[in-house]
Amino acid sequence: MAATGRSGFCPFVTGTLGLGSFLMRVISCIVTEHNLWLVLLAALMCVTGCWVTIGLLDRVRKTVGVQMRGWLFLTAVAAGSSIWCTHFIAMLAYQPGAPITFDPALTMISLVLAIAGTGAGFGLALDKSRGLAPEWGGCLVGLAISAMHYTGMMAYHVAGIVEWDARYVVASLLIAVAFSALAIGQAMRRPYRWSHYLGIGLLVLAIVGLHFTAMAAVAVTPLSFITTGTNPDILEAMAVAVAVVGLIVAATGFASYLIDERGRLESFERLQHLALNDALTGLANRVSFNDRLDHEIEREDEETMTAVIVIDLDRFKEINDLRGHAAGDQALKIIARRLAKLAGDGEFVARLGGDEFAAIKRFKDQNELLGLVSRLEKSLFQPLRIDDFEIVTGASIGVAVHPRDGADRERLVSNADLAMYRAKNDVTRAVCFYESAMDETARARRALATDLRQAIERGELSLHYQVQTSVQTGATCGYEALLRWTHPVHGMVPPAEFIPIAEENGSILAIGEWVLRTACRQAASWDNGHKIAVNLSPVQFAHADLAKLVHQILVETGLSPRRLELELTESTIVADKVRTLHVLRQIKALGVTIAIDDFGTGYSSLDTLRSFPFDKIKLDRSFMADVERSPQAKAIIRAVLTLGRSLDIPVLAEGVETHVQLTILQIEGCNEAQGYFLGRPKPIDQILLTGMAAAVALAEIDQSAA
Ligand code: C2E
Ligand code: MG
Ligand code: MG
């Protein structure tokens, strides 16, 4: 076909192509038909572009939503423009031996094709729902590179006859598509550690391979009569300008990548700092404390030991309550600063939470440990100045040493805690070292306290009932509800053991409510109209709105208030007299009766009687135990009975175990009695039998007295 000054696909050369001759042709095309300096510049452009592209593609892969779309756009621009620049510079490097010109419109279209096509390819590669999405996306990128190249070729006008070898054209397309698919596959899947670099290399091969194979497909026979074309010097300058612009675009993409990377690193470091340090004081937190302790234990040799020192501030709550939380925070910061300052080599301090701090010390000689402990103690007892006031918080310090006091971290910290609690309860000492004999009892108690919290939900609590009998007639007056806890491991735990624990940890509130509700519900189902007596703890008076609760439960269970008797001990009244008496009056106003329990054991029994119109005096069982032997005990019983009569309060004697004791009570004119002789505390289904036994016993006493 005659030359028209435009490149054309004429005529096609076809036939088979061996690999050797193929490579020879491509290499000779590069070496003989190109300006090698510009080829080198194109190669530099290509490698830089691919390096930036694969880096940016990694961001696309790791982000979602708008961020992902932003990165995708940037990647497409960087990839498309650097591919186009590579092509353009390489075209300028091509020396067909005839003048050349460029069609500006087609040149621009080739740039748009490169950006849009690679963008579409990367977008497709992201589709996680398709198994081979990266490879398909890569194919599309390969096609985009090819489309860009051949459109660019159409824009390249050479003054000569252009012949095309179809075999090289097909080979160029295959190379572009195959290598792009492999490159994007590596970049998106990253199966190997060096996949990133493999992806870059494969993409370079796709672009360079396509370009030079496609150039090898072209043979130009110059037409000597056409001499007009772009000046070669200008072409060279254009190549450099394009390279500079292309590199700027790639560098912009790379700079965004770097800025983002730095931002990520900083936020990672910030997160890591937050995760390992306490936000308020900046001291190491519990996580780092645990790590450090594990590490120290691991590093120990035969000569060294590791001590855990647990610190709990004594008067911190006071600062919070009196001066507010800001002052509390300030106090914690000052203390943390002091602790951090005193920690020397091989010593570590942390804030475990709230007003709890801890230290770790690896040591050879016990004196080294004592040194740190005394420095800590001194620092913690130094006054704190916050705004215009000064306070000494003081602290309780517990120490446990590995391996002597615990084989692992958890045991060690828990034992240091036990020692710290002992220090807290001892007014004479601020520091306690773990001592198994003393602290194990506390541990058992703590374990019991934990179990007790779940006792209600697990259905481990039950009520036993003990009959209260009229001494004169033998008739049943009522029953006292007594709480029982069947522990899954320890079996029956006596109330004298677990009620103080429940009072300490506050679970008595829920337990007491459960007892009251259960006792009232069961009593309401009896048709004999007997009273039910329920014990109350001082804690219930202090914390719960007891009168409201009693009223609520009576309404809920339908028990008549007359049938409910609440028992409290003198210590309850002593604990907070004003409040307790106020609550008692409210309860009494409901129609519920109030009994004073264990009477005679408190230190102000008479004053207690004066303070409130009780409905019953329950004489403590210790007097009954001695009554047969001790005239003094008998005299006290007689005095209390006289007191009761003069105040018009009936007296119930507790702990009646023999019929002699019952006879004495009958003779002395006691009103009611309760004790093993009359009936032991029993589950609900057995109490009727007990009541009958009591009646029989009393009938026998009447007969023998007669
Ligand atoms: P308490 O209120 O003085 O209950 C009487 C205690 O004396 C019961 O012990 C009972 O089993 C025991 N007892 C009864 N008759 C005799 C006897 O003839 N001889 C001897 N030696 N003891 C007798 P328990 O059931 O072990 O309860 C001990 C204490 O635990 C109760 O003393 C009461 O203060 C407290 N308690 C029991 N249940 C509850 C409850 O639901 N709430 C509260 N707050 N305390 C309870
Ligand atoms: Mg009682
Ligand atoms: Mg009692």
Side-chain angles (χ1 to χ4, degrees):
M1 188 175 150
T4 58
R6 289 180 175 272
S7 60
F9 291 87
C10 55
F12 273 109
V13 180
T14 50
T16 50
L17 183 66
L19 181 63
S21 58
F22 165 77
L23 286 176
M24 279 307 293
R25 167 74 192 110
V26 173
I27 291 167
S28 91
C29 167
I30 297 172
V31 176
T32 59
E33 296 166 25
H34 285 76
N35 173 340
L36 285 181
W37 285 114
L38 292 184
V39 168
L40 216 61
L41 190 62
L44 173 73
M45 181 67 244
C46 184
V47 172
T48 312
C50 292
W51 184 52
V52 171
T53 301
I54 299 293
L56 290 174
L57 204 51
D58 190 43
R59 279 287 167 274
V60 179
R61 199 168 65 99
K62 287 179 179 160
T63 47
V64 286
V66 178
Q67 240 185 355
M68 183 271 279
R69 283 192 282 278
W71 283 113
L72 183 61
F73 173 74
L74 208 58
T75 313
V77 170
S81 51
S82 57
I83 291 168
W84 181 85
C85 287
T86 305
H87 160 84
F88 200 83
I89 299 165
M91 284 313 298
L92 293 172
Y94 184 52
Q95 294 169 329
I100 56 159
T101 52
F102 286 93
D103 175 334
L106 279 174
T107 305
M108 283 325 291
I109 291 173
S110 72
L111 173 63
V112 173
L113 273 176
I115 295 174
T118 49
F122 296 146
L124 176 61
L126 286 172
D127 186 351
K128 293 198 175 76
S129 60
R130 286 168 217 242
L132 282 175
E135 284 72 20
W136 285 121
C139 289
L140 192 52
V141 171
L143 288 174
I145 301 172
S146 310
M148 181 278 306
H149 179 85
Y150 285 106
T151 314
M153 285 300 283
M154 280 159 71
Y156 186 78
H157 297 168
V158 58
I161 299 166
V162 178
E163 281 179 296
W164 285 89
D165 187 331
R167 297 166 307 172
Y168 285 89
V169 173
V170 172
S172 74
L173 290 175
L174 288 178
I175 286 171
V177 169
F179 281 114
S180 297
L182 291 174
I184 306 305
Q186 287 295 318
M188 299 302 281
R189 297 187 199 282
R190 315 236 158 192
Y192 316 112
R193 211 154 40 94
W194 30 271
S195 279
H196 182 86
Y197 301 101
L198 195 56
I200 296 172
L202 286 165
L203 193 57
V204 169
L205 276 180
I207 299 165
V208 173
L210 164 100
H211 185 89
F212 290 108
T213 310
M215 292 316 288
V218 180
V220 177
T221 313
L223 295 172
S224 51
F225 55 87
I226 300 176
T227 50
T228 51
T230 315
N231 178 333
D233 289 342
I234 294 178
L235 290 181
E236 231 166 86
M238 259 170 79
V240 173
V242 167
V244 169
V245 173
L247 287 173
I248 288 173
V249 173
T252 309
F254 184 61
S256 329
Y257 176 85
L258 279 187
I259 292 167
D260 186 60
E261 189 69 15
R262 183 72 227 153
R264 273 161 185 267
L265 199 67
E266 273 170 14
S267 41
F268 175 74
E269 280 167 2
R270 224 181 359 256
L271 277 178
Q272 200 178 29
H273 184 84
L274 277 178
L276 295 178
N277 290 274
D278 170 47
L280 177 71
T281 62
L283 277 190
N285 64 9
R286 191 180 282 275
V287 177
S288 343
F289 172 82
N290 287 346
D291 276 357
R292 177 66 178 250
L293 186 51
D294 285 339
H295 177 71
E296 293 293 350
I297 290 174
E298 252 168 49
R299 274 183 57 192
E300 250 172 48
D301 53 34
E302 268 139 41
E303 290 187 342
T304 56
M305 285 180 278
T306 310
V308 170
I309 303 160
V310 170
I311 302 162
D312 194 86
L313 303 183
D314 285 341
R315 295 175 60 202
F316 176 69
K317 199 174 166 303
E318 221 173 277
I319 305 179
N320 260 346
D321 290 350
L322 298 179
R323 301 275 162 170
H325 286 264
D329 285 355
Q330 227 177 317
L332 290 174
K333 281 189 202 162
I334 298 173
I335 290 168
R337 253 200 316 272
R338 287 180 185 172
L339 294 183
K341 216 188 233 169
L342 70 76
D345 236 17
E347 296 169 355
F348 179 84
V349 288
R351 180 180 173 218
L352 300 186
D355 61 347
E356 204 185 334
F357 294 84
I360 300 170
K361 162 118 187 135
R362 199 151 38 82
F363 65 99
K364 280 187 183 159
D365 179 1
Q366 182 82 2
N367 285 329
E368 295 171 33
L369 172 61
L370 294 178
L372 173 63
V373 171
S374 87
R375 270 183 287 138
L376 284 170
E377 192 182 353
K378 206 168 140 205
S379 155
L380 290 160
F381 280 83
Q382 251 169 31
L384 298 177
R385 173 138 213 105
I386 300 161
D387 303 331
D388 57 339
F389 79 106
E390 211 175 67
I391 187 167
V392 177
T393 53
S396 303
I397 301 173
V399 188
V401 176
H402 180 269
R404 188 181 67 203
D405 300 334
D408 55 30
R409 174 189 9 116
E410 264 125 58
R411 195 71 183 179
L412 211 55
V413 174
S414 142
N415 286 349
D417 270 339
L418 288 178
M420 184 272 287
Y421 288 124
R422 190 151 44 82
K424 190 142 270 206
N425 293 326
D426 187 339
V427 284
T428 62
R429 284 197 294 177
V431 183
C432 280
F433 282 71
Y434 172 75
E435 281 170 45
S436 62
M438 283 176 153
D439 293 322
E440 284 313 309
T441 330
R443 185 194 303 287
R445 207 175 142 85
R446 279 174 174 275
L448 220 52
T450 314
D451 294 344
L452 192 55
R453 286 185 200 278
Q454 294 147 5
I456 298 183
E457 292 105 85
R458 292 184 182 165
E460 292 164 8
L461 297 183
S462 62
L463 288 183
H464 279 196
Y465 294 87
Q466 189 176 31
V467 69
Q468 299 178 332
T469 313
S470 158
V471 174
Q472 306 306 325
T473 67
T476 298
C477 309
Y479 294 89
E480 178 175 6
L482 293 160
L483 185 56
R484 296 292 177 261
W485 178 23
T486 317
H487 188 279
V489 178
H490 308 304
M492 195 68 96
V493 186
E497 200 174 308
F498 73 83
I499 293 222
I501 296 177
E503 286 175 339
E504 234 168 68
N505 72 9
S507 50
I508 191 69
L509 294 177
I511 292 176
E513 184 176 334
W514 180 88
V515 171
L516 194 62
R517 183 169 282 116
T518 311
C520 289
R521 193 183 307 123
Q522 289 189 338
S525 69
W526 305 337
D527 48 14
N528 50 23
H530 292 319
K531 289 191 86 149
I532 181 79
V534 176
N535 293 286
L536 290 179
S537 149
V539 181
Q540 286 175 281
F541 279 89
H543 286 98
D545 188 351
L546 202 55
K548 191 169 155 206
L549 181 71
V550 172
H551 178 68
Q552 212 176 6
I553 289 177
L554 286 173
V555 172
E556 190 183 305
T557 57
L559 184 75
S560 154
R562 283 182 305 101
R563 290 182 57 200
L564 178 63
E565 184 154 83
L566 296 178
E567 297 187 5
L568 68 153
T569 58
E570 290 163 57
S571 56
T572 307
I573 294 174
V574 172
D576 185 351
K577 196 166 174 175
V578 178
R579 187 184 166 93
T580 310
L581 294 180
H582 174 68
V583 178
L584 281 181
R585 280 189 207 101
Q586 288 179 317
I587 295 175
K588 206 171 156 110
L590 297 172
V592 174
T593 55
I594 311 285
I596 184 92
D597 203 357
D598 303 343
F599 186 78
T601 53
Y603 58 86
S604 60
S605 300
L606 291 179
D607 186 51
T608 307
L609 280 185
R610 198 168 57 124
S611 62
F612 187 79
F614 288 99
D615 300 292
K616 188 182 280 178
I617 295 171
K618 293 189 76 178
L619 185 58
D620 191 70
R621 67 168 183 261
S622 56
F623 300 106
M624 204 44 60
D626 290 343
V627 74
E628 290 174 45
R629 282 166 283 126
S630 152
Q632 285 87 347
K634 202 168 172 178
I636 289 175
I637 291 175
R638 189 172 295 149
V640 172
L641 289 171
T642 313
L643 189 68
R645 265 193 295 278
S646 49
L647 290 172
D648 201 20
I649 306 174
V651 176
L652 179 147
E654 295 186 283
V656 177
E657 291 183 354
T658 64
H659 82 275
V660 177
Q661 292 169 344
L662 189 61
T663 314
I664 294 171
L665 290 175
Q666 244 177 355
I667 294 165
E668 298 295 338
C670 185
N671 307 81
E672 288 175 32
Q674 183 181 342
Y676 294 165
F677 181 66
L678 299 160
R680 284 180 178 263
K682 298 242 167 70
I684 184 88
D685 45 345
Q686 294 178 29
I687 53 166
L688 278 175
L689 274 174
T690 317
M692 277 158 57
V696 172
L698 278 161
E700 278 170 8
I701 291 164
D702 283 343
Q703 274 173 14
S704 61

